[in-house]
Amino acid sequence: MNCVWVGTMTVQEVRVEVTPLQTEGMRDVLGDVVQRQLFADHGVDVGKVRSIRGYLIRSNYTAEQIDAHVQDIFSDPIIEYGATNTSLLEDQTFFPQPPSLTVTVGFKPGVTDNPGAAANDGFKVLFPEGESSISTYISYAFLELHDGIDHAWVASTLFNGLIEKSILTTREQLETNQAMSLTYPERPTIERQVPSIINLEVSDDELLRLSTEGLLALNLNEMQTIRDHYRDETTRGARSAVGISPDSPTDVELECLAQTWSEHCKHKIFASKIHHIDTETNEDTTIDSLFKTHIMKPTHDMAKEVDWLLSVFHDNSGVIAWNDDWSICMKAETHNSPSALDPYGGAMTGIVGVNRDILGTGLGARPIANTDVFCFGPPDWSGELPSTLFHPSRVLRGVHAGVRVGGNESGIPTINGSIVFDERYIGKPLVYCGTVGLMPRKLADGRESHEKNPTPGDLVYMVGGRVGSDGIHGATFSSLELTDESPSSAVQIGDPITQKKMMDMLLEARDACLITCTTDNGAGGLSSSIGEMAEYTNGCEIDLGKVPLKQEGLSSWEILVSESQERMTVAVSPKDRDAFEALAHLHEVEATQVATFTDTGYFHVKHGEETVAYLPITFLHDGVPQLELESEWIPPHHEAFVPPSELNQTTLLTEMLARPNIASKETWVRQYDHEVIAQTVVKPFVGVERDGPGDAGLIAPIHGDSQGLVVSCGIAPRYSDIDAGAMVAASIDEAVRNAVCVGVDIDKMAGLDNFCWPDPIESEKTPDGKFKLAQLVRANRELERVCRAYRLPCVSGKDSMKNDYGVWPNKISIPPTMLFSLFGNQPDVRKTATSNFKHHGERIYLVGMTHNELGASEVAFHLRERGDANGIGGQVPLLENPSEQLEVYRKLSNCIQSGLIRTAHDCSEGGLAVALAEMCIGGRCGAFIDIDGIGTGDAFTRLWSESLGRIVVSVEAEHELAFVEMMEGADIHLIGMVSSSSELLIEDGYDTLIQADVEELTQSWKGALDMTGAIE
Amino acid sequence: MSQEVKVCVLFGFGINCDRETAAVFEMVGGVSERVHVNRLVQGERTLSEFDILAVPGGFSFGDHLGSGRLLGNRLRFALREQLQQFVTDGKPIIGICNGFQALVKTGLLPGPADASLEPDLIQRASLTLNNTGRYEDRWVTLEFDPHSPCIWTKNIQRIECPVRHGEGRFVMPTEQDLDNLDNNHLLTVRYVDPTTPAGEGIQDELLSFPMSPNGSMRNIAGICDATGLVFGLMPHPEAFYSMWLHPEHTSMDLGENWEGEGLQIFRNAVEYVRSQR
C-alpha cells in the first residue's frame, strides 16, 4: 500500500478489516443494535445490518508480517474473521450480494481514537520496533435497504460531522468497482507561532472587538482593567527585567487572563454586586456577591458548630470527616455546551472530568461513586428542531453512552441520579455529573490528606495525557451562548483507560507520601491548574517547551490554555523525584516535570529560554473587576390550573406513570455499573423484581464494615415557572427526603448546589435579563433559608450561567434549574429501608401534610398537554417551616435506624398517587388506601398535589405502636394497608378514586422510556 | 513454609475490581496483595511467590478489540512461562468477568482436553457481545455442576450474584466442543431459572432474557479447566460477600448471619491450598 519515507525508515500503511463470523450460533450484535435503535427512535426498519471494523496501521512492518498476527491482535479466532489489505465488503463469503448501502465512519484528524490507541498498545507487544500508530473506522452494511429510505438520513444517524467523517458506498459503486475507502486522518502540519504582542492602547470598540474575535469572553471593563495593568510603571519595570514586552500583553498573557477570569472559572455573576428590586414588596437593595452572602457565610457559620467540616469551597471538592479514619468528599459539575455539540464525547469528558476533581482534592481522594442527572428535551419530540441541534433521543443516547462508558470503564459505580424532561432543554441539555471520593484522614507520614502543602522549589509535573489542539477555549466557550459557529475544538472524547492508569498511579503515589499538592487540568488547562496551585507558594515558573504534545507546532498560548483531557498537575518534593518517576513508568503513565514552585509573586511562563508571560499572582487571581448587575422581580403571570371536573383517575394514574419525568429509567440506568467496588447497599432498583425505584444511593465503602454513606439528589425545574425560590426549596427538600428514606444521620449531611441558569445579564441579546437575575436572587435566598434550617452546609458548588440557544427573539432559554446533591453518614446499613411494599398486612402511613399545591405540578403539565386544562398556574409547593420539618425527618430516620421501618418512599412528581403506585410496583402487591383527612383540598388535590415534606412508609403490625410513639409530634396519617391482591385501590371516604391493576401500572411505568427496540 | 495463603490479585490497565477481590480473600483467611501486572512483567515480583492468582473484573484496555483480549495478550506473551509454571505447580487461578475473558483469550480456559497436558495457551472459546447489545448490571441465579472437578465450587449448589458486563456470551465453534467440556463436567456454572428447585436448574436449552443475561450457549456462566484449578466466570461472587449487598435484604430477617453467598467460592480455594500442604 502506501509507503512514506521518514528519515531512513520506511513507514508502511496496512489496512486490517474484521467482521463477525456468520457460522452457526454467531451473531453480528453491533449490526443488530443499529437496526433496533433506528426502529425504536424513528420507527424505521432498515433490515439486516452487518458491521466491519477497520484498522489503518502505520508502522515499520509489512502486510505479510502483520497478517501472520491478525488473530493475535485484531480479530478473535473463534468469533471473527480478519484480513489485511482486503476490502471485506467485496468478500463474497460474507457479502454474497453487495449491500445496498454501506456507511463507513472514521475520526477526523486529531480526534481521540480510543480503540486505535488500545490497538496500538496491543500492536506494540508483538511489533515493538519503531514508531507505530493506528486509526480505526467502522462500516455498517445495510444488506437490503428499502427504496424509500434516504441514504443521507441513515448516515446522519450514525456519525457526528463535528468529529467524524463518513463515506457512503452504494451497491452500484461496489458492482462497478468505484467504492472509496477512508484514509488515515492526517493532521495538517502546523507551525508554532511566536508569541505576539497585543496593543491595548486602542479605542473601547477595538478592545471589545479583540475580545469577541479572540473568543476571550471578556467585557469592556475587564479589557480596560487589563490595559491599565500594563500602564503601571512598576509592572513595566518588572517586565523589562525579565525581557518581556513591558507595556503590552503577549497573546499568552491575554489568553491566560481570559481563561482565569472567565465566568466558568471565576463565577463573576455569583460574585457580582446586584441592585435588586422586588415589585411585590417594594424592596430596593444591593447584594454584594450572592455566593459570599447566601452560600459561603451560612456554611462558615455552621462550621463553627460542628467538627466534621474539614475543607469547604477552596479545593476541588468539599471534604467532611466521615469517621476517625476516613474522610469523604463530593463534587458535581456540568458539561452542557460540549454535550450539546457532541453528546457522547461531551458527557464522557463531563464524568471523567469530575472524577479528576476528586483525585485532585487534598492530596488525592479515590472516586468511589458517581451520580448523573440529565435534563433533556422530550425523547419523542416531533416538533421543529433548529438544524444545528440533535434530536432529543439522540442527545439522550449519546449522553447516556458517554457517561456509561466513562463511569463503567473507570470502575466507579453510578449509584444515584435522575433524568428530567422539558421542551426547553432541546436548546441546551443539562448534563450534571457528580463524584464522591474517599480518602484516609492521615497519610503514613502523619500529614492530613485533605490539605495541600507545597513549598517553593517543589517540582510540578503534568501527568497523564498529552496536550493537543483539542479542547482549546472550553472555559471561555462555555461562558458564551451556543450558536451555529460554536467551535468544534471545544469538543473532546474522553479516554477513561488512560485516566484509570493515572488514577491507579497517583493513589499509589499519595499513599507513598510522594505528593505535596495536586489539582486537575480542566477548564483553562495548565494556566488554571498551575496558576491556582501557585497561590499556595506565591509563584511558579513554567517551561512550556517541556510539555509533551500530541502534535508539534502548537503555539505557547495554546499549550498553556488547552484543556486536553486526562491530565493532572502534581507537585513533588525534589527528593522524591526518582520514586515518583519510577511509579509513573511502572503504570505506563506519562509524567513530565513542566514547572517549579517559587515564591516570587509571579506566574512566570517561559517557552525554552524566552519569557512569554509574566503576571503577578494577585492580579491573575484577584484582578478581575466586580460586575454590577440589575435585578427586578415581577411575578410571572400564569393562567390558573383548573382540572376538568370529570376525570377517570385510574386512567390518569396510568398516564402519569408513563410521563417521561415519572416513568422508569431502568433501560438506561441498568447500563451503568452500580455495584463495582462491592459496596452498594440500596441500589437504583429495589423490590421483588428489582425494578422498583430506589430513593437514595446507600453504600458501605469499607469492605466488611457496615457504616454507610448516603448519596441523594433533588431537582425540580418546573417550579421555576412560578418561582425559582420555590424550585430551590423543593430541590433541597427532595434530596433530604430521599436521604431520610434510607435512614441518613440527620446530624451529618452536606450538600452541593449546582446552578444552571439562562444568561441573567440584561443586554440586547437578553432583554429579560433583570427578571432572570431576580430569579437567581430568590433562588439563593431560599438556598440559605432552607440550608440553615436543615443545618445542611453547602460544601462545594458550581454554576453554569449561559444555558441558552440561538439569538433573541428566537432564543431558547432553559428553565432556571438547580440540582441539589447530598451526601451524609448512615450509621449501620443493616438497618435501612427501600421503597417497595414488603408484606401483606403492613400498615401504610403518610408522614407530612398535603396542601393544595398544584401549581406547576406534573399533573398540571400533563393535563395541559392533553388539552384538558388551560394553565399550570397556582400555588407551588412551599416549605414554610423547615426547622420543624427537620425534626420530623429526624424522628423518621431514627425509626429506620432502629429497624422499625423498612419501607419508605418519598412523594415528589405526581404526588401521593404516583408514590403509592411505585411502592406497589416494587413489591408486586396491592394496597387499600383511604386519603380522607390527609390534608386540605379536594380529592384530586390530595391525590396529585406535590406538597413537600411527605414520605410514605409501611410498618409491620407488631412495630406500629412503637412507630407511632417515636413519631409523636409529627403529622402522620394512617392511610391503609398492604394487601395480598394485585390491585391498588384508593378511596376518599366512601368514594372510590382509583382501582388499578398493579401489573398494568407496571407496564405503563416501565414501557414509556424502554426504547430498546424490543428485539433480543 | 509459611502458613499464610498468599493471593496475588492483579491490577492495572483498567482492571477495577481488584480492591474487593483482595478484600474477600482476606475475609476467608487469605493474605491478599494487589500486584500491578508490570511488576510481574518487569521481574520485580514473580507469580511463584503466591499460592493463588486472581484476575479481577474491569475494563482492561477499555475492552477495545474485544474484552480481555489485550490483557490476555500481555499475559500470554509477557508472562507465558510464569503462568504455565503456576498451573503446572497445581496452584488455583480464578478469573472473574474481565478476568474470565482474559483467561479465555489467553487460552488458559478451557485449556487442553486432558489434565495431564501442559497448558498450551491456545484460544478455544470466546466471550462476545450480549445478544441484547447492552452492558447491564443485574442479579442472576447461578447453579453449579456438582460433579465438576473445579476446586473453587465444591459444595455450592446455587447462589445469586450480579453480572455486570456487555460481552458475556460464552461461545465455542461447535456443539462437539461444548459436549466435550460438558462430559468432563467443566461447564461448572450456569444461569438458571430461579423458580426451579435447587439442584434441578441446569439446562442446555437457552433461557430467555434476563434469566440468561447474555444468551450464552447452554446458559454457561463459567467454566474450569481439566485440572479443576483454573476457574473463570462472568458473574461477580465477590460482589455478594455480605447479605447487605443483596437487592432484597430489606425484606429478609437475617438476625446475626450476614455472610453473603459469594464468599464460599474464595474460602474453597484458600482451604484447598491449606489441604495440599
Side-chain angles (χ1 to χ4, degrees):
Chain A
M1 236 187 180
N2 304 327
C3 294
V4 193
W5 283 95
V6 180
T8 55
M9 300 282 268
T10 314
V11 176
Q12 315 250 356
E13 191 168 305
V14 177
R15 180 184 301 261
V16 171
E17 288 198 332
V18 177
T19 195
L21 291 176
Q22 297 174 11
T23 48
E24 182 70 29
M26 300 299 166
R27 294 177 76 139
D28 187 335
V29 173
L30 279 184
D32 293 348
V33 166
V34 168
Q35 183 184 5
R36 285 204 293 258
Q37 290 190 354
L38 287 173
F39 188 73
D41 293 0
H42 305 284
V44 176
D45 184 1
V46 293
K48 191 77 192 160
V49 185
R50 292 208 175 278
S51 66
I52 298 167
R53 281 182 293 129
Y55 301 87
L56 295 166
I57 304 150
R58 285 190 166 176
S59 72
N60 299 323
Y61 295 91
T62 64
E64 290 69 34
Q65 289 172 304
I66 293 172
D67 195 56
H69 284 288
V70 163
Q71 289 201 339
D72 284 324
I73 305 170
F74 300 101
S75 70
D76 184 309
I78 308 297
I79 54 176
E80 291 170 329
Y81 174 76
T84 48
N85 289 349
T86 307
S87 165
L88 289 183
L89 269 181
E90 296 169 48
D91 184 328
Q92 299 217 337
T93 317
F94 294 95
F95 300 95
Q97 189 191 14
S100 35
L101 174 70
T102 304
V103 181
T104 299
V105 179
F107 294 101
K108 282 188 168 173
V111 175
T112 301
D113 180 350
N114 288 320
N120 197 35
D121 202 300
F123 186 81
K124 283 184 167 157
V125 173
L126 291 170
F127 298 102
E129 298 297 324
E131 292 286 309
S132 61
S133 63
I134 298 181
S135 169
T136 64
Y137 60 84
I138 187 153
S139 297
Y140 303 97
F142 297 83
L143 299 187
E144 230 18 276
L145 203 57
H146 300 303
D147 288 341
I149 300 175
D150 181 42
H151 286 187
W153 175 80
V154 172
S156 78
T157 65
L158 295 170
F159 83 107
N160 179 358
L162 211 53
I163 52 165
E164 291 162 326
K165 54 187 174 171
S166 77
I167 288 181
L168 275 63
T169 310
T170 61
R171 178 173 293 159
E172 292 66 39
Q173 286 171 316
L174 283 169
E175 284 169 347
T176 54
N177 292 321
Q178 289 177 25
M180 300 202 300
S181 53
L182 276 183
T183 52
Y184 197 96
E186 200 79 60
R187 287 175 196 260
T189 44
I190 48 171
E191 247 176 68
R192 185 187 164 222
Q193 305 290 313
V194 292
S196 55
I197 312 296
I198 316 282
N199 179 15
L200 297 185
E201 296 298 340
V202 293
S203 68
D204 287 351
D205 285 351
E206 186 62 15
L207 282 179
L208 273 176
R209 194 189 62 78
L210 281 171
S211 172
T212 311
E213 291 186 2
L215 281 177
L216 301 178
L218 295 169
N219 66 23
L220 181 61
N221 188 14
E222 289 157 355
M223 289 297 284
Q224 288 167 335
T225 304
I226 295 173
R227 179 196 62 200
D228 293 349
H229 171 72
Y230 292 89
R231 286 178 175 172
D232 182 83
E233 283 309 321
T234 328
T235 302
R236 291 183 173 181
R239 294 174 65 79
S240 293
V242 294
I244 190 168
S245 69
D247 51 7
S248 297
T250 61
D251 56 356
V252 184
E253 291 176 312
L254 204 51
E255 289 283 350
C256 176
L257 285 165
Q259 300 301 320
T260 312
W261 290 9
S262 66
E263 175 56 42
H264 188 99
C265 295
K266 271 282 178 266
H267 312 287
K268 291 181 284 196
I269 294 170
F270 264 78
S272 69
K273 186 171 283 179
I274 295 174
H275 175 221
H276 177 67
I277 292 171
D278 186 327
T279 60
E280 275 186 305
T281 61
N282 294 325
E283 180 189 353
D284 185 330
T285 185
T286 302
I287 304 158
D288 185 6
S289 174
L290 288 170
F291 174 67
K292 283 185 182 155
T293 310
H294 296 300
I295 301 174
M296 205 175 195
K297 176 87 171 36
T299 294
H300 284 155
D301 287 347
M302 283 181 251
K304 293 171 194 151
E305 293 167 16
V306 297
D307 60 357
W308 45 265
L309 282 173
L310 295 182
S311 167
V312 291
F313 302 126
H314 70 272
D315 205 339
N316 290 308
S317 70
V319 189
I320 68 166
W322 181 49
N323 58 29
D324 291 345
D325 299 325
W326 299 96
S327 50
I328 299 278
C329 57
M330 186 172 180
K331 171 68 168 247
E333 280 273 13
T334 51
H335 234 216
N336 308 336
S337 297
S339 302
L341 294 174
D342 179 41
Y344 176 75
M348 194 204 288
T349 48
I351 189 71
V352 297
V354 74
N355 292 164
R356 285 197 305 278
D357 278 321
I358 296 305
L359 190 58
T361 294
L363 299 173
R366 179 163 65 87
I368 57 167
N370 284 337
T371 64
D372 307 311
V373 176
F374 308 142
C375 302
F376 298 133
D380 57 351
W381 178 252
S382 57
E384 277 193 42
L385 204 59
S387 62
T388 48
L389 292 179
F390 290 116
H391 189 271
S393 68
R394 172 103 179 248
V395 178
L396 165 61
R397 282 202 194 279
V399 166
H400 170 263
V403 164
R404 180 191 73 220
V405 170
N408 291 0
E409 292 192 8
S410 304
I412 303 164
T414 298
I415 61 164
N416 190 243
S418 178
I419 310 179
V420 177
F421 298 94
D422 185 287
E423 286 171 15
R424 288 162 287 180
Y425 296 119
I426 290 174
K428 192 94 162 251
L430 303 186
V431 177
Y432 292 96
C433 297
T435 302
V436 180
L438 176 75
M439 58 179 146
R441 295 282 295 273
K442 285 204 165 127
L443 298 182
D445 61 3
R447 285 181 301 159
E448 297 201 86
S449 59
H450 67 273
E451 284 180 353
K452 303 182 199 291
N453 36 40
T455 46
D458 281 358
L459 315 175
V460 183
Y461 284 82
M462 188 182 96
V463 181
R466 294 183 154 215
V467 170
S469 55
D470 50 343
I472 288 174
H473 278 156
T476 48
F477 156 67
S478 74
S479 306
L480 298 165
E481 70 275 16
L482 208 53
T483 65
D484 292 0
E485 283 83 38
S486 297
S488 63
S489 65
V491 175
Q492 299 190 66
I493 296 176
D495 174 2
I497 294 306
T498 293
Q499 180 153 315
K500 172 72 174 147
K501 289 194 288 186
M502 174 176 75
M503 204 164 357
D504 288 346
M505 179 240 157
L506 290 178
L507 290 172
E508 211 171 316
R510 175 200 72 187
D511 290 340
C513 306
L514 302 177
I515 295 175
T516 65
C517 187
T518 180
T519 195
D520 83 303
N521 279 279
L526 289 173
S527 107
S528 290
S529 69
I530 302 182
E532 283 167 20
M533 288 186 1
E535 274 195 289
Y536 286 96
T537 62
N538 196 30
C540 68
E541 190 176 312
I542 305 176
D543 183 355
L544 297 175
K546 289 183 179 168
V547 176
L549 304 177
K550 291 180 184 175
Q551 176 187 26
E552 288 309 313
L554 290 183
S555 299
S556 304
W557 72 266
E558 294 177 305
I559 299 172
L560 191 63
V561 305
S562 167
E563 298 171 8
S564 288
Q565 293 286 306
E566 290 86 38
R567 291 180 298 146
M568 294 292 291
T569 297
V570 182
V572 173
S573 160
K575 70 178 168 37
D576 293 323
R577 175 200 299 259
D578 292 346
F580 186 78
E581 291 183 1
L583 207 50
H585 178 69
L586 176 83
H587 286 262
E588 300 183 20
V589 170
E590 196 161 20
T592 313
Q593 191 214 329
V594 298
T596 308
F597 280 139
T598 65
D599 53 7
T600 60
Y602 278 90
F603 182 70
H604 188 173
V605 184
K606 291 176 154 184
H607 198 130
E609 288 305 306
E610 183 191 3
T611 290
V612 294
Y614 196 65
L615 294 165
I617 294 280
T618 46
F619 181 65
L620 182 63
H621 289 293
D622 305 322
V624 61
Q626 191 179 28
L627 282 178
E628 295 192 10
L629 301 175
E630 292 293 323
S631 158
E632 184 180 44
W633 175 248
I634 304 170
H637 173 74
H638 290 278
E639 187 164 345
F641 168 59
V642 182
S645 49
E646 290 294 313
L647 253 185
N648 181 330
Q649 310 267 17
T650 304
T651 310
L652 183 57
L653 177 59
T654 312
E655 290 171 3
M656 286 291 285
L657 289 171
R659 295 272 301 167
N661 281 334
I662 291 173
S664 169
K665 281 84 182 170
E666 183 175 354
T667 296
W668 307 96
V669 176
R670 208 169 267 300
Q671 294 182 55
Y672 303 133
D673 189 334
H674 50 260
E675 295 185 275
V676 60
I677 316 184
Q679 57 179 5
T680 312
V681 175
V682 175
K683 306 175 207 291
F685 302 103
V686 301
V688 287
E689 300 289 338
R690 290 98 194 246
D691 58 2
D695 283 309
L698 174 61
I699 57 178
I702 305 300
H703 294 123
D705 188 328
S706 69
Q707 186 181 354
L709 182 78
V710 179
V711 180
S712 67
C713 69
I715 187 165
R718 279 178 289 111
Y719 300 151
S720 286
D721 285 359
I722 292 173
D723 180 7
M727 176 276 288
V728 160
S731 303
I732 301 168
D733 189 58
E734 184 180 14
V736 175
R737 264 185 344 256
N738 281 325
V740 167
C741 285
V742 298
V744 72
D745 174 356
I746 292 286
D747 296 317
K748 198 182 268 191
M749 307 188 290
L752 313 179
D753 54 289
N754 281 78
F755 287 84
C756 284
W757 232 251
D759 187 356
I761 301 179
E762 186 179 34
S763 70
E764 265 176 47
K765 299 182 298 187
T766 313
D768 56 352
K770 280 197 227 175
F771 172 70
K772 288 168 174 168
L773 190 61
Q775 289 181 305
L776 189 65
V777 169
R778 295 174 73 85
N780 274 275
R781 288 177 170 178
E782 278 297 274
L783 181 73
E784 174 174 2
R785 182 181 73 95
V786 177
C787 284
R788 278 190 188 273
Y790 280 176
R791 284 185 257 167
L792 175 56
C794 291
V795 295
S796 179
K798 209 69 196 267
D799 55 273
S800 161
M801 303 303 290
K802 307 275 171 166
N803 293 291
D804 309 275
Y805 177 86
V807 180
W808 186 267
N810 297 314
K811 183 163 166 170
I812 312 175
S813 292
I814 64 152
T817 307
M818 186 205 67
L819 169 70
F820 197 84
S821 311
L822 180 152
F823 61 115
N825 183 45
Q826 208 274 9
D828 184 349
V829 299
R830 290 172 294 186
K831 288 173 180 165
T832 185
T834 50
S835 73
N836 53 303
F837 286 135
K838 309 290 186 302
H839 306 116
H840 160 63
E842 282 169 355
R843 316 274 267 168
I844 303 170
Y845 279 81
L846 172 64
V847 178
M849 283 297 283
T850 307
H851 305 288
N852 188 350
E853 292 173 322
L854 286 162
S857 63
E858 192 69 26
V859 77
F861 275 86
H862 176 67
L863 290 174
R864 189 180 66 169
E865 282 167 31
R866 217 177 70 169
D868 285 332
N870 294 324
I872 52 98
Q875 182 60 57
V876 279
L878 294 178
L879 197 56
E880 289 201 54
N881 196 334
S883 300
E884 276 180 22
Q885 188 62 52
L886 183 70
E887 293 315 307
V888 176
Y889 289 153
R890 182 188 306 281
K891 288 175 182 150
L892 186 52
S893 247
N894 286 341
C895 289
I896 293 169
Q897 288 167 19
S898 64
L900 286 180
I901 295 287
R902 301 172 84 187
T903 302
H905 187 34
D906 93 300
C907 285
S908 51
E909 295 93 343
L912 179 62
V914 165
L916 288 166
E918 289 175 341
M919 298 174 85
C920 289
I921 291 169
R924 286 297 194 285
C925 59
F928 299 124
I929 305 290
D930 185 347
I931 61 166
D932 190 17
I934 63 165
T936 55
D938 58 11
F940 182 90
T941 304
R942 279 172 281 132
L943 278 179
W944 306 106
S945 171
E946 297 176 1
S947 293
L948 304 177
R950 296 180 307 157
I951 293 173
V952 181
V953 302
S954 70
V955 57
E956 298 277 1
E958 67 191 87
H959 296 313
E960 188 178 7
L961 196 60
F963 164 70
V964 172
E965 277 173 7
M966 282 185 76
M967 293 302 293
E968 196 186 337
D971 278 315
I972 61 169
H973 310 270
L974 175 63
I975 58 171
M977 201 165 76
V978 179
S979 75
S980 55
S981 77
S982 60
E983 190 174 80
L984 172 60
L985 181 70
I986 304 181
E987 297 175 334
D988 181 28
Y990 295 108
D991 298 334
T992 296
L993 303 173
I994 289 175
Q995 189 166 10
D997 178 66
V998 170
E999 201 46 50
E1000 280 170 26
L1001 296 178
T1002 306
Q1003 297 305 326
S1004 179
W1005 188 67
K1006 290 183 72 171
L1009 290 176
D1010 180 61
M1011 291 172 74
T1012 56
I1015 310 163
E1016 269 173 26
Chain B
M1 190 192 220
S2 158
Q3 285 308 299
E4 286 182 349
V5 176
K6 291 183 181 166
V7 185
C8 172
V9 179
L10 285 187
F11 88 107
F13 303 118
I15 290 172
N16 62 34
C17 299
D18 43 305
R19 287 172 195 274
E20 59 265 41
T21 304
V24 292
F25 277 108
E26 297 266 342
M27 287 176 199
V28 295
V31 177
S32 300
E33 187 180 346
R34 293 164 58 239
V35 181
H36 194 283
V37 176
N38 274 353
R39 290 200 196 271
L40 299 170
V41 172
Q42 292 170 5
E44 187 187 326
R45 307 292 299 274
T46 75
L47 281 181
S48 62
E49 301 168 39
F50 297 93
D51 303 303
I52 295 174
L53 171 64
V55 190
F59 269 91
S60 55
F61 298 96
D63 271 3
H64 299 298
L65 286 80
S67 55
R69 165 153 299 272
L70 293 172
L71 178 62
N73 268 2
R74 289 262 178 148
L75 302 179
R76 188 155 63 109
F77 292 104
L79 294 178
R80 190 179 187 91
E81 282 77 25
Q82 289 194 51
L83 273 175
Q84 283 173 322
Q85 190 60 48
F86 200 84
V87 177
T88 312
D89 289 347
K91 294 177 175 178
I93 301 179
I94 190 169
I96 302 170
C97 196
N98 198 225
F100 179 35
Q101 292 162 337
L103 293 185
V104 166
K105 291 171 189 191
T106 309
L108 275 176
L109 283 175
D114 195 297
S116 64
L117 297 172
E118 289 241 326
D120 52 16
L121 304 188
I122 293 170
Q123 184 179 342
R124 295 178 171 84
S126 196
L127 288 148
T128 183
L129 292 165
N130 298 350
N131 279 350
T132 58
R134 296 195 296 278
Y135 177 103
E136 283 198 336
D137 176 342
R138 60 168 71 246
W139 280 59
V140 292
T141 304
L142 302 175
E143 199 162 296
F144 296 81
D145 181 344
H147 306 294
S148 174
C150 184
I151 64 102
W152 294 84
T153 60
K154 295 291 175 210
N155 304 317
I156 305 175
Q157 187 174 51
R158 180 179 280 206
I159 68 169
E160 287 183 280
C161 66
V163 288
R164 311 193 305 252
H165 62 246
E167 299 181 40
R169 181 174 178 243
F170 184 88
V171 295
M172 292 187 86
T174 66
E175 287 295 315
Q176 186 61 48
D177 295 322
L178 293 163
D179 286 340
N180 291 342
L181 294 189
D182 198 13
N183 294 338
N184 293 314
H185 300 284
L186 306 183
L187 304 180
T188 311
V189 53
R190 318 258 201 125
Y191 304 107
V192 297
D193 178 346
T195 62
T196 55
E200 295 172 25
I202 291 179
Q203 63 174 61
D204 288 348
E205 192 191 332
L206 291 191
L207 288 170
S208 61
F209 176 83
M211 283 186 289
S212 165
N214 47 38
S216 270
M217 291 179 169
R218 301 193 185 183
N219 308 311
I220 293 165
I223 61 172
C224 69
D225 74 344
T227 68
L229 291 163
V230 186
F231 174 50
L233 76 172
M234 287 310 299
H236 288 272
E238 84 285 5
F240 189 21
Y241 76 78
S242 168
M243 288 305 291
W244 66 59
L245 298 170
H246 190 281
E248 284 183 85
H249 67 96
T250 55
S251 302
M252 300 171 177
D253 289 315
L254 291 159
E256 294 303 306
N257 184 17
W258 285 82
E259 177 171 319
E261 292 173 352
L263 219 45
Q264 187 59 33
I265 289 179
F266 306 96
R267 184 178 287 124
N268 279 342
V270 170
E271 285 177 358
Y272 172 82
V273 171
R274 289 222 173 90
S275 73
Q276 298 298 303
R277 285 178 175 160

